[in-house]
Amino acid sequence: MVDDAPHEARARETRAFVVAPEPNDWLRPVLDALRQAGPVEVFAPWVLPRPLVPLGRRVGFVRRRDGDRLPGARGRGWFTAAELLLRGVARGKTAAALSNRVRMRALVDHAAAFRIARDPTPSLVVAPSLAARRSFAAGRRIGATCLLVEDMPDFDSLVDGLDALATALPQATFLRNHRPGPRAHARQRAERWQADVVGVRGRVAWQRIGGNKTRVQIPRTAFTAVGRRGRDVLFAGPPLARCGSAHLPALLNALEDVTIRVLPGPCSEPPSLQNHPRIQVHRSADLDGIGAVLSLSALESHPAPVARALDAGVPIVGTTASTGVVTPTSILRVEDPTPCVLADALRQALSGHAPRPQPWQAPQRLAQYVVESSCTLETNSASAPSVRTSVPTT
Amino acid sequence: MRVAGLAARRLVGWALRPDVYPEPSRVGAEQTPHPVASRTIPRRASSFGPKLEEGRWHNLGLAATALDGVGISAERPFSFWRTVGRLTEARGYREGAHFEGGCIIPAVGGGICSLSDALFDLALRSNCTILERHGHTLVVDRGPKAPPRRRADATVKWPYVDLRFAPGRGVLRLETKMSSEGLVLSLKGSEQVEEASVEVSEPRITQEAGQRFAHTTITRRGPAHAPGLVTIGHDRKRVIVSPTRNCDTCHEDSCGRRRTP
C-alpha cells in the first residue's frame, strides 16, 4: 500500500509559485494574470505580520505594507534581520545598496529553492532576475515550467553603456563606481538559459533578451492619479550623469522660461544644478503642474515618471533606451541630445503639439500566455516525477 | 581522503592567494577589438543517447553563460573553476555523459570536458601561457576504420583539476555564443596576436600490465617573430574500446555505478 493521495491532491491544488524577493510593481498585476489559470502561492520573506504593518510604516519599511495580503506569503524574521544588517553595512551608499540587492535576491533564491524541494507541487515557477537560478533548478527537477521576470536592467548592456558614458563624461565619478559584479552578470545570463519563458517589461528589453525563448510582456500597474497640466518639465530619474543630467545646464540656458523639476536623490551631477534657481525638487508621485517629461538616459532604465506620463497622457521627450516601454512613434525622440534639439522638442511638447504617448504592446502578454498554456502546464504537472517517497503501511 | 585533501588545499588557495587565483573580471567589448582565435563545439549525433546528449548541451550552454565577457590578462589569469563554479544540480546543471572506468555514466555536469578542451585549444592558439592543464586519462580506440583523433585536450574536476592560462601581454576577452551549429567560443584581444599552430604527435602505443597506453606530445609552433617549437605537455592515456552502451541500455548492476538517467 502506498499513501500518495495527499500529495496528488496538493499537486492539483497549487499551480503557480511566485518568488518575490522584494516588493515590486510587477507583483500585483502578475498575480492577477496568474490567478486566471489557478491558485497562486507567493514566497515573500520580507512580508511584515499584519500587527506590525503600522510600525513598519514608521520605521521606514513603507514598501512592505501591502505584503500581508499576498496569497500564501509569510514573513521571515531571519530575512528582516539580514536585510537590516546589510542596510547598516551599506550606510546609504548606492553601489553597496546595489550589491546588497543582488545578495538579498540570491538569499531569497536559496530559500525558495529549498521550499520548492520540500513541497514539490507547483507546475509553474515564476521568479525575477537574480532570484531564479536555484528556484528554476528545483522547479525543473519536479517538471515545472520556469518563467523569468526580467525586472532588472540587462547588466551587459548597462555596464557597456556606463563605460561609454564614463569615457564621455570623465568628471562623473558615479559612472565608474556603480557596477554589478561579474558573477551577477553570469547569474543573469544563466537564468535566461534556464528559463522556459522570459517576461520583459518593454520594447527595448524585448529586442535584447531571450530571442530563442518564448517571451511575454509583463503587465504593470496603471497610474491613476491625474493632476492639472502645467508648464514645468519633469526630469525622469535622479539628477545623475547616467540619467543624462549633464545636458540640463545647457538646456536651462536655451529655455529661459521653463522650470525643470528633478526627483530627490543623494546628490546631483553636475553639482551646480543644486543651486540653480530654475531647478526644483519634485517630491510628489503625481504629475501635477507638469507639461512634459524628459527622459534622457542612454541606458535601459524605464523610470517611473515615464510610466506615469504614459497613463496620464503627458508628452514625453527622450531616448529610445530609457523610454523603452513606449511606442517610439508616440514620443519626441532625441537620441543625440544637443541643447538646440532638446529645446525644440520641449517647446513642441509644451505647446500641446506633441503626440500622445502610447504604451508598447508585445506580440504576447503574460495573461494571454497563462490562459493559453494552462493545458500544457497541467500535462507537465501530471508527468512530474513524484519526489516524496512512498511509505509502505504495515 | 587524498582527493579531499587536494580539494581542500585548492579551496584554501582560492581564499588566501587571490593573486594566483583571482576572481574573474568582466571586460567590455570595445576594449578588445582584435579577433584572436575562434573555435566551435559542433552539435552532432552521439552514441550517448538523447537524454544524456540533451543534458550535455544544457550543461555546455549554462557553463558558457559564465564565460561570456570574461577578461583575461597576465594579472588576472583565467581559471575554469573560478569562472564557471561548481557544477551542481542546485545551480541548474543536469546529468550528461561522463566517462568513468570505460563506461558512459550519467553525471551532473557531464560533458563539460568539451568546453575545457575547446578553451585549451583556444589558449594554445592565442599564444597564452598555460599555467595549469591536466590531460584525460582515457582515450577511445575507434577501430581501424575511424581515424584517430589527434587533438589537444584538457580535463577538469572541481576544484583541484583546473585549466588556467594567461596571455603574455595585453587583455583577452572570451566570448561565447550558442547557435544552431553549436557553441562558438572566441577570444578577442586588446592588441593583434598572431595565431600559433598546435600539433599533437602520432600516438605511441605501449603495453603495460596487460593494458594499452597511448603516449602523445603536444607542441606549439610560435608566431613568425619567434618561430620556436615549444613542448606544452606529454600525455599518457589508457586505451579503451569505444563504449557502445550506457546506463540506458546496459543492464549491468554489479559495476556499482549504474544510475538511471
Side-chain angles (χ1 to χ4, degrees):
Chain A
M1 287 285 289
V2 290
D3 188 17
D4 264 355
H7 169 53
E8 285 173 9
R10 290 170 72 126
R12 281 194 299 273
E13 218 173 60
T14 309
R15 277 182 46 84
F17 182 82
V18 181
V19 182
E22 56 191 52
N24 219 316
D25 57 353
W26 58 263
L27 198 51
R28 182 70 56 188
V30 163
L31 292 181
D32 291 342
L34 294 176
R35 278 199 196 102
Q36 295 177 26
V40 182
E41 183 185 344
V42 181
F43 182 78
W46 45 268
V47 166
L48 287 179
R50 192 179 290 266
L52 291 182
V53 170
L55 177 67
R57 204 173 299 169
R58 284 191 188 172
V59 297
F61 290 126
V62 178
R63 295 169 71 213
R64 296 162 169 241
R65 61 189 169 206
D66 292 332
D68 59 321
R69 293 179 201 138
L70 295 172
R74 191 164 61 85
R76 263 77 168 177
W78 56 263
F79 184 85
T80 307
E83 196 174 15
L84 285 171
L85 181 70
L86 287 176
R87 273 194 197 189
V89 171
R91 286 182 295 175
K93 291 177 183 167
T94 315
L98 177 70
S99 304
N100 284 352
R101 201 175 168 201
V102 173
R103 280 193 201 104
M104 292 310 289
R105 285 189 173 224
L107 185 64
V108 172
D109 185 25
H110 271 84
F114 180 69
R115 166 75 183 71
I116 294 170
R118 209 179 52 182
D119 189 9
T121 51
S123 54
L124 174 69
V125 175
V126 181
S129 201
L130 301 176
R133 183 164 188 168
R134 287 171 187 270
S135 304
F136 283 176
R140 180 75 65 192
R141 276 201 293 275
I142 58 169
T145 304
C146 301
L147 194 154
L148 176 68
V149 177
E150 284 280 355
D151 65 341
M152 291 189 88
D154 175 37
F155 281 169
D156 288 335
S157 309
L158 176 75
V159 171
D160 288 345
L162 285 171
D163 286 343
L165 283 175
T167 308
L169 302 166
Q171 71 279 9
T173 53
F174 182 79
L175 293 170
R176 289 189 293 277
N177 297 333
H178 191 70
R179 293 284 192 283
R183 291 194 191 281
H185 285 262
R187 191 180 178 91
Q188 196 177 48
R189 285 191 293 257
E191 288 167 349
R192 286 176 194 155
W193 177 256
Q194 288 175 281
D196 300 305
V197 186
V198 179
V200 296
R201 289 182 292 184
R203 185 178 45 82
V204 171
W206 183 277
Q207 288 167 345
R208 284 179 181 161
I209 297 168
N212 54 350
K213 302 272 181 184
T214 305
R215 287 177 294 170
V216 294
Q217 187 183 9
I218 297 299
R220 60 183 182 82
T221 312
F223 175 71
T224 50
V226 179
R228 68 184 164 82
R229 289 285 291 275
R231 283 202 45 88
D232 288 356
V233 173
L234 176 61
F235 182 74
L240 297 171
R242 70 186 162 96
C243 299
S245 65
H247 302 289
L248 291 186
L251 183 63
L252 285 163
N253 290 338
L255 291 172
E256 293 183 349
D257 56 337
V258 168
T259 297
I260 296 181
R261 298 196 202 173
V262 297
L263 300 178
C267 58
S268 70
E269 288 174 339
S272 61
L273 276 182
Q274 284 178 331
N275 304 320
H276 199 285
R278 282 188 285 125
I279 290 282
Q280 289 180 5
V281 178
H282 184 79
R283 297 188 186 279
S284 161
D286 59 27
L287 299 177
D288 195 29
I290 301 298
V293 168
L294 183 62
S295 182
L296 293 181
S297 175
L299 314 167
E300 181 203 349
S301 50
H302 306 321
V306 169
R308 289 173 194 153
L310 193 61
D311 294 326
V314 174
I316 298 171
V317 177
T319 58
T320 307
S322 74
T323 60
V325 291
V326 194
T327 306
T329 53
S330 68
I331 60 168
L332 294 161
R333 289 170 66 191
V334 279
E335 297 304 332
D336 185 19
T338 58
C340 291
V341 173
L342 270 180
D344 287 346
L346 280 175
R347 279 193 201 103
Q348 193 183 339
L350 293 172
S351 66
H353 297 299
R356 183 187 166 89
Q358 298 293 325
W360 173 79
Q361 298 290 342
Q364 192 173 22
R365 315 189 79 177
L366 178 64
Q368 182 190 352
Y369 167 78
V370 167
V371 171
E372 285 176 2
S373 64
S374 56
C375 298
T376 318
L377 295 177
E378 288 292 351
T379 311
N380 284 347
S381 176
S383 62
S386 175
V387 177
R388 290 197 177 171
T389 314
S390 309
V391 182
T393 53
T394 54
Chain B
M1 186 61 86
R2 181 170 169 268
V3 168
L6 288 169
R9 192 172 158 193
R10 180 57 62 97
L11 290 174
V12 169
W14 287 2
L16 300 182
R17 300 190 64 192
D19 53 327
V20 180
Y21 305 105
E23 282 272 322
S25 65
R26 187 184 177 278
V27 168
E30 73 287 347
Q31 291 180 43
T32 53
H34 306 289
V36 175
S38 178
R39 164 89 188 260
T40 303
I41 303 173
R43 282 182 193 268
R44 57 180 167 219
S46 74
S47 57
F48 302 150
K51 279 182 191 168
L52 295 183
E53 185 64 10
E54 189 191 332
R56 171 175 171 257
W57 273 101
H58 174 84
N59 295 337
L60 285 176
L62 194 54
T65 60
L67 300 174
D68 195 25
V70 166
I72 310 166
S73 62
E75 295 76 32
R76 285 190 167 270
F78 174 83
S79 160
F80 187 87
W81 289 125
R82 288 292 268 170
T83 310
V84 172
R86 196 172 187 179
L87 311 180
T88 60
E89 208 171 0
R91 296 183 72 233
Y93 288 93
R94 296 188 200 165
E95 290 189 328
H98 175 70
F99 270 95
E100 193 176 302
C103 282
I104 300 170
I105 62 166
V108 172
I112 212 74
C113 280
S114 311
L115 198 56
S116 57
D117 285 352
L119 286 169
F120 179 54
D121 181 56
L122 278 182
L124 287 178
R125 289 198 283 132
S126 56
N127 277 304
C128 286
T129 305
I130 307 300
L131 303 172
E132 181 180 352
R133 173 259 172 187
H134 306 267
H136 286 88
T137 53
L138 301 175
V139 64
V140 175
D141 181 5
R142 295 171 192 278
K145 288 183 181 173
R149 286 185 191 166
R150 288 164 57 187
R151 64 181 181 194
D153 67 316
T155 188
V156 284
K157 181 171 173 59
W158 195 89
Y160 60 96
V161 178
D162 201 357
L163 172 67
R164 297 193 302 125
F165 58 86
R169 59 181 180 175
V171 178
L172 293 176
R173 181 178 196 264
L174 185 58
E175 293 181 2
T176 62
K177 189 181 177 189
M178 188 63 86
S179 69
S180 55
E181 284 81 34
L183 176 61
V184 183
L185 302 167
S186 52
L187 276 175
K188 292 186 175 174
S190 57
E191 50 193 81
Q192 296 274 9
V193 177
E194 195 180 333
E195 197 172 320
S197 66
V198 180
E199 290 168 18
V200 180
S201 67
E202 191 73 33
R204 182 172 57 85
I205 306 294
T206 61
Q207 288 275 357
E208 296 169 35
Q211 292 185 330
R212 289 192 303 154
F213 287 87
H215 300 260
T216 52
T217 304
I218 303 169
T219 51
R220 174 167 64 186
R221 191 170 295 280
H225 62 272
L229 198 64
V230 180
T231 301
I232 303 296
H234 302 281
D235 282 345
R236 174 178 173 272
K237 296 173 180 164
R238 185 158 66 88
V239 181
I240 58 169
V241 292
S242 181
T244 53
R245 296 189 301 180
N246 58 43
C247 291
D248 273 339
T249 53
C250 172
H251 300 291
E252 179 62 60
D253 285 320
S254 62
C255 64
R257 291 188 295 266
R258 182 160 190 263
R259 294 172 68 188
T260 307

